[in-house]
């Protein structure tokens, strides 16, 4: 302990003697540690921090999929079998989504709700702050219907009434109705509990009501028989073990259809994994990029330490002569590097505090728990760990090298001008090459994303997104179950919007999804006249109003749009036309559908351009547009305007309020904003990679400058000898520049190898450019070499202007 | 100023003043010296007398503050840095007290180095470098690095480097200063051999034992030539002193 304190005191004294060196090292490392800590704080919030449920690591989802993609355990009888017969779960609960129309409050409206099994709250470890949760008796059909409300609903719609427990609300919900499709079920429900603020289940979703699920004996409608299972693992049981056990259980279930007899794959995965499974790549990608910056900084600082260690060889030799062992010297030097890295860690933490809000603001908003990003104990621990690791990374090699000296020779030669020169230089060169290689990988990643964004700007979307407003609706089932009811809302709505000043055209579509994608769900059909296997085709079917194409600004390629005569007419897009009629005119051809709604024949009257989006700018599934003769509960209205479409938003809200008091506007957004949001992931990665690449490039450039400057200073004597032997200024200039370019070229080769291996991670974000795009690789390599050349020029100039006499005297 | 002289080297009224922080040091104060083609001259004198400064100016590593310098009849005192580098490379061979081999280069690469600045072909460079190393008896150490050689061996490599480009004159600045007596004798005999083969040599030494190897010794004191003596006469005097029982070492 005493010797450690001695080491610390001596290290502080040495650093105080050379404050410039210490400050430079701390600043370089602080930037790198700060970048890593900031990114980790996001990773921590999104992927590491436990979910706010009791022992949340034990909570799992259960998925089961056979080749027919059925979810057997979501079928109520199977769910009950699973609950009774499994050996791996402490408890199994279930839920299904619902939307309830709430009456009995000041402003009746539709809310998002869940029907849950009685044990759901206890399984999650969530307790109401008022009243109670559900008990087994609440699941019985003869029991009164009960609900637990969210804190937000209690506060906003019940006035935070302390006597809310026991209050009755009339709730209307959708239920299966046999061949009639869907029906409504209405009845009084008693509030039995209020959940605490911040409680949400499923995590991150805004649910206002949890209603006790009622289990009725006997056959039920499919709609009512869906139960999504969740469970708590028994102690010591892993999800993998549970998956294996459930696979056996699944094989015992009675197949409902022949296809169900196929082998099943059961997947049991933790809540947190389920939450982040689609968002894992982005934070990890950025953490990797920040790691590259840290490695670059470590290589940079290691070079500085190496240079310093070389200068201190005589001191080390003297210490060894006085009896210090090699381990003692390594420890002494490591103490200095660790002190600096810890100081950098503190400064990096300050930088994180300053930058983390900006980082979160830049992040795509759809990443779950992003807003929970902060600096907690785990982040502090990460910073401390990274600081220690950093200190070891950049300190160990120089310390080891510095202590590997011949005592006698070094003491005789002073600073040891010739001892181990080549070995030191190789190490210096290697560190600079690694910096250049790492920064090249980051630069290539950023450049590929820049090229992607540029390429996306030139994508032919097939429609005009400018001055186009999309208004999405979600009409309450309770009031708009029948199409006639929907018509009564939408028809006057469109007529009134059309009359607004500056509105040029108005259209609507069925609201299921405006943009197609390669894997969009399709509806089967055949081309009339074609027979035999393989003639069954699939396309996306979309019901639109006749004004849809004008409002969207979709180019008409052939035929016409819909008119009032059309009942069976369809318009297809270019993708489907090319796919189905590569050598013939699609106009007048017919498609035949034969499904649960009966056999229908549809005649093609027009072909329009394929509508694409930035989310799926490449090949997409073909689309069939049918003429919507009736409106739908979730329709979306599109209007093309003169000038900024958002100026019309207040007028539209007013019209909607006149037609329906409920809050039925789901979204109101200019199409350009919708498209821009599709680029947010790419833009975010590009910005951060750009920042990291810039920092890494700056470090690498400083690194090559410092190395050449140091090398030229150390080799002043050699330069003098060369000049004495006839070397001209330009010979020396060329030699130093050559050294810089040689390092840059090796760095480029190393970086290219790394980039080819690593940029594949970016593949899903790229468009119009491959991860190994030769032009990008070439241009970025050229930029790096140019930067290296620039960084080499100043030391080369200085070396070339050395006076040979002065240089020969230099030792 | 023009000077017509048959000497290989001719300096006239050479001055060199170093100015450091208001202090003027007159390293050379009016030196006149001529060295003929094929001559072996030693420059002797106490420390600080200006020997090395004179050598640096003769080797075009430094410029005189005042005075003229003709090399092979051409004025070289006021050349540009680039012209001086070219002459150094082709006309002058240096041998330094501390060998001044480049630690990062092998023996062969050190010897080859002056030729690389001439733009000579690789094959020619190799032939001449190996020839020079053969001449000094170091051809078996071509792949070694300087740190792997003894002081005597390093100086022999330095001699090979000095002569590899067939310079007009070899300038040796205390070539034995860092060597033991056996190695010193070996280097001196190497220089004698070069001289017998026709090389012009100018050597700085403060050791009379080695100065006598030259045909002529020039004594410098306080930046001026105070005495010139013929080596033969000096050798006779030395012999007489030895016979009288005095140790001249």
């Amino acid at each position: 302990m005493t010797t450690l304190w001695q080491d610390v005191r001596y290290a502080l004294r040495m650093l105080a003697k050379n404050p410039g060196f210490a400050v430079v090292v701390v600043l370089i490392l602080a930037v790198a540690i700060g970048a890593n800590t900031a990114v980790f704080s996001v990773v921590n919030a999104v992927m590491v921090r436990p979910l706010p449920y009791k022992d949340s690591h034990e909570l799992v989802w259960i998925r089961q999929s056979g080749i027919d993609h059925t979810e057997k355990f979501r079928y109520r009888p199977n769910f009950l079998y699973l609950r009774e017969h499994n050996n791996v779960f402490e408890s199994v609960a279930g839920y299904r989504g619902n939307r309830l129309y709430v009456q009995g409050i000041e402003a009746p409206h539709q809310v998002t709700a869940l029907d849950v099994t009685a044990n759901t709250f206890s399984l999650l470890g969530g307790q109401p702050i008022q009243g109670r949760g559900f008990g087994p008796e609440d699941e019985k059909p003869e029991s009164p219907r009960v609900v637990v409300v969210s804190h937000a609903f209690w506060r906003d719609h019940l006035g935070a009434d302390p006597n809310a427990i026991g209050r009755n609300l009339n709730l209307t919900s959708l239920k299966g109705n046999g061949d009639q499709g869907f029906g409504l079920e209405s009845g009084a429900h008693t509030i039995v509990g209020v959940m605490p603020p911040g409680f949400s289940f499923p995590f991150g979703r805004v649910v206002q009501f949890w209603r006790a699920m009622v289990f009725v004996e006997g056959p039920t409608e499919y709609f009512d028989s869906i139960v999504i299972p969740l469970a708590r693992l028994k102690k010591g049981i892993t999800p993998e073990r549970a998956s294996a056990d459930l696979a056996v259980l699944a094989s015992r279930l009675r197949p409902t259809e022949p296809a169900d007899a196929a082998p099943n794959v059961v997947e049991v995965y933790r809540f947190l994994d389920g939450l982040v499974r689609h968002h894992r790549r982005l934070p990890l990608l950025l953490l990797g990029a920040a790691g590259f910056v840290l490695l670059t900084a470590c290589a940079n600082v290691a070079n500085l330490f190496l240079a310093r260690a070389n200068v201190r060889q005589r001191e080390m030799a003297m210490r060894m002569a006085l009896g210090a062992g090699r381990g003692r010297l390594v420890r002494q030097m490591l103490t200095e590097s660790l002190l600096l890295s810890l100081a950098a860690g503190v400064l990096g933490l300050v930088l994180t505090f300053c930058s983390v809000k900006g980082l979160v603001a830049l992040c795509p908003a759809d990443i779950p728990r992003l807003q929970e990003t902060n600096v907690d104990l785990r982040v502090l621990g990460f910073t401390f760990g990274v600081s220690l690791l950093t200190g070891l990374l950049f300190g160990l090699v120089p310390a080891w090298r510095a202590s590997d000296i011949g005592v006698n020779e070094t003491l005789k030669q002073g600073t040891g001008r010739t001892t181990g020169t080549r070995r030191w230089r190789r190490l210096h060169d290697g560190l600079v090459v690694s910096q250049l290689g790492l920064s090249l990988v980051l630069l290539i990643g950023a450049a590929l994303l820049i090229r992607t964004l540029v390429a996306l700007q030139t994508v032919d979307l097939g429609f005009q997104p400018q001055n186009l407003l999309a208004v999405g609706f979600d009409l309450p089932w309770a009031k708009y179950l029948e199409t006639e009811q929907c018509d009564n809302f939408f028809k006057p709505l469109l007529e009134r919007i059309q009359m607004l000043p500056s509105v040029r055209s108005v259209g609507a579509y069925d609201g299921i999804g405006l943009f197609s994608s390669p894997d969009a769900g399709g509806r089967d059909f055949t081309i009339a006249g074609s027979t035999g296997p393989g003639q069954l085709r699939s396309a996306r079917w979309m019901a639109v109003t006749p004004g849809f194409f004008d409002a969207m600004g979709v180019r008409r390629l052939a035929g016409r749009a819909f008119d009032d005569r059309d009942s069976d007419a369809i318009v297809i897009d270019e993708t489907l036309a090319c796919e189905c009629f590569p050598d013939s005119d699609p106009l007048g051809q017919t498609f035949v559908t034969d499904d649960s709604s009966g056999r229908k024949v549809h005649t093609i009257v027009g072909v329009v351009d394929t509508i694409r989006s930035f989310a799926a700018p490449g090949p997409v599934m073909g689309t069939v547009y049918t003429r919507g003769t009736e409106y739908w509960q979730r329709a979306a209205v599109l209007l093309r305007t003169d000038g900024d479409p958002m100026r019309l938003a207040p007028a539209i809200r007013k019209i909607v309020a006149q037609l329906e008091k409920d809050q039925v506007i789901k979204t109101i957004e200019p199409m350009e904003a919708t498209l821009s949001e599709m680029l947010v992931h790419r833009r975010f990665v590009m910005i951060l990679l750009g920042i990291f690449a810039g920092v890494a490039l700056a470090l690498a450039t400083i690194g090559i400058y410092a190395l050449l400057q140091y090398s030229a200073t150390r080799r002043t004597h050699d330069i003098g000898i060369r000049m004495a032997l006839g070397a001209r200024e330009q010979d020396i200039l060329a030699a130093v520049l050559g050294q810089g370019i040689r390092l840059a070229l090796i760095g480029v080769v190393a970086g290219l190898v790394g980039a080819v291996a690593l940029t594949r991670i970016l593949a899903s974000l790229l468009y119009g450019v491959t991860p190994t795009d030769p032009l990008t690789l070439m241009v970025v390599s050229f930029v790096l070499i140019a930067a290296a050349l620039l960084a080499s020029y100043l030391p080369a100039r200085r070396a070339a202007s050395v006076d040979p006499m002065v240089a020969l005297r230099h030792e | 100023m023009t000077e017509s002289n048959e000497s290989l080297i001719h300096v006239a009224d050479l001055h060199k003043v170093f100015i450091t922080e208001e202090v003027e040091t007159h390293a050379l104060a009016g030196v006149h010296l001529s060295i003929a083609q094929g001559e072996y001259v030693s420059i002797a004198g106490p420390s600080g007398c200006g020997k090395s400064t004179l050598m640096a100016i003769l080797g075009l590593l430094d410029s005189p503050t005042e005075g003229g310098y003709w090399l092979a009849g051409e004025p070289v005192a006021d050349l540009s840095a680039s012209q001086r580098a070219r002459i150094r490379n082709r006309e002058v061979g240096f041998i330094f007290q501390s060998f001044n081999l480049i630690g990062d280069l092998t023996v062969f690469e050190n010897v080859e180095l002056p030729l690389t600045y001439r733009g000579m072909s690789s094959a020619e460079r190799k032939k001449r470098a190996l020839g020079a190393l053969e001449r000094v008896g170091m051809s078996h150490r071509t792949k070694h690095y300087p740190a792997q050689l003894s002081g005597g061996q390093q100086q022999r490599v330095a001699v090979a480097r000095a002569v590899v480009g067939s310079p007009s004159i070899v300038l040796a600045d205390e070539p034995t200063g860092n060597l033991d007596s056996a190695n010193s004798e070996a280097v001196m005999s190497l220089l004698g051999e070069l001289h017998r083969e026709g090389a012009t040599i100018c050597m700085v030494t403060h050791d009379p034992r080695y100065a006598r190897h030259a045909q002529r010794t020039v004594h410098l004191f306080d930046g001026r030539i105070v005495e010139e003596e013929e080596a033969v006469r000096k050798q006779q005097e030395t012999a007489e002193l030895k016979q009288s029982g005095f140790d001249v070492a």
Side-chain angles (χ1 to χ4, degrees):
Chain A
M1 196 64 196
T2 313
T3 53
L4 178 66
W5 178 235
Q6 269 179 354
D7 283 348
V8 171
R9 272 192 315 182
Y10 182 75
L12 287 172
R13 213 162 46 228
M14 288 304 289
L15 295 174
K17 258 177 70 179
N18 203 344
F21 173 83
V23 167
V24 168
V25 169
V26 168
L27 283 178
I28 289 173
L29 293 178
V31 169
I33 293 175
N36 277 271
T37 307
V39 173
F40 178 76
S41 62
V42 173
V43 173
N44 176 42
V46 174
M47 295 171 56
V48 181
R49 193 177 292 160
L51 292 171
Y53 304 118
K54 184 190 167 197
D55 296 330
S56 65
H57 62 282
E58 294 173 352
L59 296 173
V60 291
W61 298 113
I62 301 157
R63 263 184 76 88
Q64 184 206 28
S65 52
I67 53 169
D68 56 346
H69 303 295
T70 53
E71 290 275 356
K72 281 190 200 168
F73 287 132
R74 291 189 176 184
Y75 179 53
R76 199 179 71 179
N78 293 345
F79 166 80
L80 294 173
Y81 184 81
L82 163 74
R83 192 155 82 166
E84 290 299 315
H85 294 91
N86 84 82
N87 294 313
V88 289
F89 300 129
E90 202 173 281
S91 162
V92 178
Y95 75 96
R96 65 168 165 264
N98 210 333
R99 278 181 293 169
L100 304 175
Y101 189 73
V102 189
Q103 289 167 298
I105 54 175
E106 197 174 324
H109 66 281
Q110 184 167 280
V111 297
T112 306
L114 290 185
D115 289 341
V116 296
T117 55
N119 63 339
T120 301
F121 291 129
S122 59
L123 182 138
L124 295 172
Q127 290 299 317
I129 50 168
Q130 279 190 47
R132 63 171 176 90
F134 300 126
E137 70 284 357
D138 295 323
E139 289 182 348
K140 293 176 182 166
E142 63 274 17
S143 299
R145 303 301 305 270
V146 291
V147 292
V148 170
V149 299
S150 73
H151 189 270
F153 185 89
W154 175 69
R155 182 192 61 211
D156 299 339
H157 298 285
L158 301 176
D161 180 5
N163 302 314
I165 304 300
R167 186 169 162 181
N168 280 332
L169 298 172
N170 190 54
L171 301 182
T172 305
S173 59
L174 202 61
K175 68 186 286 284
N177 202 14
D179 293 342
Q180 307 296 312
F182 295 109
L184 295 174
E185 183 182 50
S186 220
H189 289 66
T190 307
I191 298 173
V192 295
V194 177
M195 292 307 285
F199 177 84
S200 78
F201 174 76
F203 185 80
R205 286 204 5 218
V206 180
V207 173
Q208 287 112 320
F209 276 56
W210 293 272
R211 183 169 68 166
M213 191 181 281
V214 175
F215 285 89
V216 186
E217 292 293 326
T220 52
E221 291 289 334
Y222 178 74
F223 178 77
D224 296 325
S225 68
I226 296 170
V227 185
I228 299 170
L230 60 139
R232 181 174 291 281
L233 290 167
K234 281 183 178 169
K235 300 284 179 202
I237 301 289
T238 63
E240 294 71 27
R241 159 83 196 282
S243 297
D245 274 33
L246 291 198
V248 176
L249 210 60
S251 66
R252 291 185 203 143
L253 296 175
R254 184 173 55 87
T256 52
E257 291 180 27
D260 280 356
N264 296 286
V265 176
V266 177
E267 190 187 0
V268 175
Y269 53 97
R270 297 186 198 278
F271 266 30
L272 189 56
D273 293 336
L275 187 72
V276 301
R277 62 186 351 183
H278 300 300
H279 301 281
R280 188 175 285 145
R281 178 174 286 189
L282 187 64
L284 290 181
L285 174 75
L286 294 176
L287 200 59
F292 270 37
V293 175
L294 187 68
L295 285 176
T296 309
C298 283
N300 197 295
V301 172
N303 239 346
L304 292 176
F305 262 75
L306 210 53
R308 192 159 170 266
N310 198 17
V311 171
R312 289 172 64 185
Q313 273 193 72
R314 197 175 166 79
E315 175 204 327
M316 294 298 141
M318 184 59 76
R319 284 171 177 272
M320 282 181 125
L322 295 175
R326 190 172 181 186
R328 186 77 175 76
L329 293 184
V330 169
R331 203 178 80 186
Q332 169 64 53
M333 294 192 79
L334 271 183
T335 307
E336 290 175 36
S337 57
L338 286 173
L339 278 179
L340 286 175
S341 65
L342 288 175
V346 172
L347 187 58
L349 208 55
V350 173
L351 291 177
T352 301
F353 272 115
C354 300
S355 63
V356 79
K357 276 189 179 167
L359 179 66
V360 170
L362 269 178
C363 278
D366 65 336
I367 296 179
R369 302 205 288 171
L370 192 62
Q371 298 309 322
E372 293 176 24
T373 302
N374 60 8
V375 177
D376 60 10
L377 274 177
R378 199 177 286 106
V379 175
L380 286 176
F382 174 84
T383 312
F384 182 69
V386 166
S387 302
L388 281 183
L389 187 69
T390 305
L392 288 174
L393 265 179
F394 75 77
L396 199 56
V397 173
W400 188 253
R401 277 275 186 247
S403 59
D404 181 20
I405 47 175
V407 179
N408 194 30
E409 293 84 349
T410 306
L411 287 176
K412 275 198 291 190
Q413 291 176 10
T415 54
R417 191 171 57 80
T418 56
T419 307
T421 304
R422 275 166 285 123
R423 199 176 54 171
W424 285 85
R425 206 173 72 189
R426 248 180 260 136
L427 199 53
H428 278 296
D429 288 356
L431 288 167
V432 166
V433 164
S434 66
Q435 291 173 60
L436 291 166
L438 289 167
S439 45
L440 187 78
V441 174
L442 292 175
L443 280 171
I444 288 173
L448 287 172
L449 282 162
I450 289 171
R451 289 204 61 197
T452 294
L453 289 177
V454 170
L456 283 170
Q457 299 304 322
T458 61
V459 166
D460 181 6
L461 296 171
F463 72 102
Q464 301 296 320
Q466 301 82 12
N467 300 335
L468 181 61
L469 191 67
V471 189
F473 290 89
D474 188 4
L475 302 179
W477 287 106
K479 294 166 76 176
Y480 295 91
L481 186 64
E482 305 299 332
T483 52
E484 190 184 329
Q485 293 169 314
C486 295
D487 286 354
N488 288 341
F489 173 78
F490 279 111
K491 277 183 178 166
L493 175 70
L494 262 67
E495 283 166 11
R496 290 199 203 178
I497 290 176
Q498 180 72 70
M499 288 166 69
L500 288 173
S502 79
V503 171
R504 285 164 60 187
S505 50
V506 181
Y509 66 98
D510 55 17
I512 290 168
L514 182 59
F515 300 111
S516 182
S517 64
D519 52 356
R523 180 183 176 193
D524 294 339
F525 66 93
T526 54
I527 303 170
S530 64
T531 53
Q535 296 309 310
L536 193 65
R537 294 171 183 274
S538 190
R540 203 170 64 109
W541 290 63
M542 191 173 167
V544 301
T545 63
F548 172 84
F549 298 112
D550 281 346
M552 282 288 284
V554 182
R555 282 186 296 274
R556 194 183 309 147
L557 303 178
R560 60 177 176 82
F562 299 119
D563 62 30
D564 290 340
R565 296 165 298 172
D566 297 323
S567 56
D568 64 345
I570 54 172
V571 172
I572 63 172
D573 69 4
E574 190 185 14
T575 300
L576 197 60
C578 292
E579 188 185 313
C580 296
F581 311 104
D583 304 314
S584 55
D585 184 0
L587 296 179
Q589 307 263 17
T590 52
F591 287 168
V592 180
T593 54
D594 191 1
D595 48 29
S596 57
S597 58
R599 186 174 188 276
K600 284 180 187 166
V601 178
H602 311 267
T603 308
I604 300 169
V605 298
V607 178
V608 294
D609 214 342
T610 302
I611 293 177
R612 289 187 171 82
S613 72
F614 293 148
V620 291
M621 177 175 266
T623 301
V624 176
Y625 297 97
T626 60
R627 181 172 184 268
T629 52
E630 53 199 26
Y631 287 94
W632 322 272
Q633 195 223 9
R634 283 187 170 185
V637 173
L638 297 162
L639 52 146
R640 179 162 295 283
T641 64
D642 294 321
D644 178 12
M646 277 307 279
R647 281 185 311 162
L648 292 177
I652 292 167
R653 287 186 200 281
K654 193 174 171 186
I655 294 171
V656 171
Q658 287 166 355
L659 291 169
E660 169 60 65
K661 283 181 183 172
D662 270 359
Q663 297 164 5
V664 292
I665 293 184
K666 194 176 169 191
T667 57
I668 181 161
E669 190 174 57
M671 189 57 72
E672 285 181 305
T674 307
L675 289 171
S676 179
E677 278 167 25
M678 293 176 182
L679 297 178
V680 74
H681 279 80
R682 291 180 168 110
R683 202 180 292 129
F684 173 65
V685 176
M686 184 204 73
I687 290 172
L688 275 208
L689 271 189
I691 292 172
F692 290 161
V695 171
L697 179 65
L699 288 176
T701 311
I702 292 169
I704 201 165
Y705 166 81
L707 172 68
L708 293 183
Q709 184 61 39
Y710 167 73
S711 164
T713 307
R714 269 182 56 76
R715 295 168 68 196
T716 300
H717 187 79
D718 289 355
I719 291 169
I721 297 170
R722 285 169 185 270
M723 286 183 140
L725 297 176
R728 295 159 303 168
E729 276 188 28
Q730 54 263 46
D731 293 322
I732 303 298
L733 194 75
V736 180
L737 282 179
Q739 190 191 350
I741 291 174
R742 186 176 57 84
L743 293 176
L745 287 176
I746 299 172
V748 162
V749 171
L752 286 177
V753 171
V756 168
L758 292 173
T759 49
R760 272 179 288 180
I761 298 168
L762 291 175
S764 64
L765 291 172
L766 300 183
Y767 172 73
V769 62
T770 61
T772 53
D773 175 57
L775 182 66
T776 308
L777 299 187
M778 214 162 66
V779 170
V780 174
S781 301
F782 178 77
V783 167
L784 190 78
I785 291 169
L789 197 62
L790 211 64
S792 311
Y793 182 73
L794 209 57
R797 191 65 259 164
R798 280 198 191 141
S801 61
V802 160
D803 180 338
M805 273 307 291
V806 176
L808 282 171
R809 285 194 206 108
H810 185 275
E811 283 291 338
Chain B
M1 186 177 177
T2 58
E3 188 82 9
S4 175
N5 197 308
E6 290 182 1
S7 305
L8 176 64
I9 280 178
H10 181 73
V11 295
D13 197 21
L14 208 60
H15 290 258
K16 181 68 182 179
V17 182
F18 294 107
I19 301 171
T20 49
E21 294 176 358
E22 300 175 5
V23 178
E24 278 192 8
T25 308
H26 291 261
L28 296 176
V31 172
H32 295 267
L33 175 68
S34 290
I35 300 172
Q37 176 79 45
E39 199 178 6
Y40 187 171
V41 176
S42 71
I43 299 172
S47 274
C49 71
K51 302 186 299 283
S52 292
T53 304
L54 178 59
M55 204 63 145
I57 291 173
L58 293 182
L60 296 175
L61 287 171
D62 207 353
S63 324
T65 312
E66 209 181 311
Y69 175 20
W70 291 264
L71 181 64
E74 296 294 324
V76 292
D78 298 316
L79 296 179
S80 70
S82 178
Q83 288 168 319
R84 282 142 52 114
R86 189 173 178 281
I87 294 174
R88 272 201 305 271
N89 181 245
R90 288 167 187 274
E91 309 294 342
V92 183
F94 281 103
I95 302 168
F96 299 98
Q97 178 181 352
S98 54
F99 326 135
N100 279 343
L101 298 177
I102 295 178
D104 292 347
L105 303 181
T106 62
V107 163
F108 176 81
E109 287 165 341
N110 264 289
V111 175
E112 183 195 31
L113 191 59
L115 306 181
T116 62
Y117 297 129
R118 290 189 191 181
M120 194 178 275
S121 73
S122 169
E124 179 66 15
R125 287 204 308 265
K126 187 175 179 185
K127 186 179 149 199
R128 292 179 77 158
L130 288 176
L133 283 167
E134 187 78 42
R135 204 167 160 188
V136 300
M138 288 298 293
S139 56
H140 61 299
R141 291 277 190 269
T142 52
K143 289 181 179 167
H144 284 65
Y145 284 91
Q148 296 168 312
L149 303 178
S150 70
Q153 287 175 320
Q154 287 193 47
Q155 195 60 303
R156 278 153 69 189
V157 174
V159 172
R161 185 179 62 183
V163 299
V164 71
S166 307
S168 303
I169 185 162
V170 173
L171 299 177
D173 189 356
E174 300 275 12
T176 58
N178 279 2
L179 300 176
D180 58 31
S181 55
N183 275 312
S184 296
E185 281 300 339
V187 168
M188 289 315 297
S189 96
L190 199 54
L191 288 178
E193 211 172 293
L194 289 174
H195 175 239
R196 282 191 292 282
E197 289 169 8
T200 307
I201 298 173
C202 178
M203 174 180 70
V204 164
T205 181
H206 64 269
D207 192 330
R209 284 178 305 168
Y210 303 129
R212 74 182 178 209
H213 285 265
Q215 293 168 306
R216 179 160 64 101
T217 301
V218 174
H219 288 274
L220 271 181
F221 189 78
D222 279 353
R224 288 190 179 83
I225 293 177
V226 292
E227 188 187 354
E228 287 198 35
E229 56 186 316
E230 295 298 325
V232 178
R233 182 168 58 79
K234 186 168 173 60
Q235 279 169 6
Q236 285 171 349
E237 284 173 4
T238 307
E240 284 166 13
L241 284 169
K242 274 187 175 173
Q243 283 171 1
S244 312
F246 288 96
D247 185 1
V248 295

